[in-house]
């Protein structure tokens, strides 16, 4: 079954994914996601989703849905990936590890412990390493590595002001924070 283009665009506009202008000429679509915007008002950036039993948070700046309360149990990268795949939050499946860029998008270097915008709605965010789904290059003689946010090294780019984005061997134990969103590939 073919859907007429105007009906398809109307559906996407209704879902908040595009803005539409319909006139005498052809329909045009504009992506209205906020990837290139900074939303400084924490109450406008982060929305607790009542449709997911208030257990998840939409980041309107990145259009990523985060668990409201990350899992602070240490596990390997493979364990973290498995935990996200099996996870249900607000009765919804389809969770995954965030990319390193998605994790880094939460960082506010003016804050510490955790370095996330003041007033954020997340609970029990630990100032420790969180796994990303992004694989990395060889380090320490191991070719099986993934990026994580690590508060134990210098640089003010993670959830603690003394933290840094780091490459970890996947057999190490870090924390897990799952996300839900469309993603074509994590480069795995």
């Amino acid at each position: 079954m073919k859907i007429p283009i105007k009906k398809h665009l109307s559906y996407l506009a209704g879902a908040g994914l595009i803005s539409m202008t319909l006139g005498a000429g052809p329909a045009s679509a504009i992506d209205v996601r906020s990837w290139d915007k900074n939303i400084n008002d924490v109450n406008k950036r982060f929305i607790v989703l009542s449709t997911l039993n208030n257990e998840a948070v939409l980041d309107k700046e990145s259009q990523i849905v985060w668990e409201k309360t990350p899992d602070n149990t240490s596990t390997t990268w493979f364990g973290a990936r498995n935990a996200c795949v099996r996870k249900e939050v607000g009765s919804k499946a389809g969770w995954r590890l965030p990319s390193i860029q998605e994790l880094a998008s939460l960082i506010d270097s003016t804050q510490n412990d955790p370095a996330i915008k003041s007033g954020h709605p997340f609970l029990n965010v630990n100032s420790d390493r969180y796994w990303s789904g992004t694989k990395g290059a060889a380090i320490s003689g191991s070719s099986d590595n993934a990026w994580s946010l690590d508060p134990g090294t210098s640089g003010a780019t993670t959830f603690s002001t003394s933290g840094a984005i780091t490459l970890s061997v996947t057999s190490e134990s870090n924390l897990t924070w799952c996300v839900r969103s469309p993603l074509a590939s994590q480069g795995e």
Side-chain angles (χ1 to χ4, degrees):
M1 177 174 109
K2 291 185 179 180
I3 300 172
I5 187 69
K6 285 186 179 181
K7 188 172 186 177
H8 181 67
L9 291 174
S10 294
Y11 170 79
L12 293 173
L17 298 175
I18 64 170
S19 174
M20 233 174 59
T21 305
L22 294 175
S28 62
I30 302 165
D31 189 342
V32 294
R33 290 175 287 180
S34 304
W35 285 99
D36 62 341
K37 297 177 183 154
N38 289 325
I39 302 173
N40 293 321
D41 183 341
V42 73
N43 295 314
K44 290 182 180 175
R45 178 175 175 182
F46 299 114
I47 307 297
V48 176
L49 299 174
S50 60
T51 56
L52 295 179
N53 300 327
N54 297 319
E55 297 172 11
V57 175
L58 170 64
D59 179 351
K60 289 180 70 176
E61 191 171 285
S62 67
Q63 299 299 307
I64 305 291
V65 176
W66 296 85
E67 294 179 275
K68 185 175 179 183
T69 307
D71 184 350
N72 285 320
T73 304
S74 291
T75 188
T76 66
W77 184 76
F78 296 102
R81 285 190 60 190
N82 188 44
C84 289
V85 166
R86 295 175 178 271
K87 185 172 289 281
E88 283 195 14
V89 176
S91 301
K92 289 282 187 185
W95 296 84
R96 62 175 174 80
L97 284 175
S99 70
I100 194 63
Q101 294 87 353
E102 290 166 343
L103 272 171
S105 76
L106 292 179
I107 296 165
D108 180 349
S109 61
T110 67
Q111 302 296 315
N112 66 52
D113 273 337
I116 302 175
K117 193 164 279 294
S118 179
H120 67 82
F122 301 109
L123 301 175
N124 300 321
V125 178
N126 195 321
S127 291
D128 207 345
R129 272 189 244 179
Y130 283 90
W131 282 117
S132 81
T134 309
K135 294 288 282 211
I139 58 167
S140 305
S142 173
S143 61
D144 207 8
N145 305 293
W147 291 101
S148 61
L149 288 176
D150 181 358
T153 58
S154 62
T157 56
T158 69
F159 296 128
S160 122
T161 55
S162 64
I165 293 171
T166 189
L167 200 53
S168 299
V169 176
T170 57
S171 60
E172 293 176 10
S173 288
N174 294 324
L175 306 178
T176 306
W177 197 349
C178 303
V179 297
R180 191 170 191 268
S181 72
L183 183 66
S185 171
Q186 287 187 320
E188 299 171 21

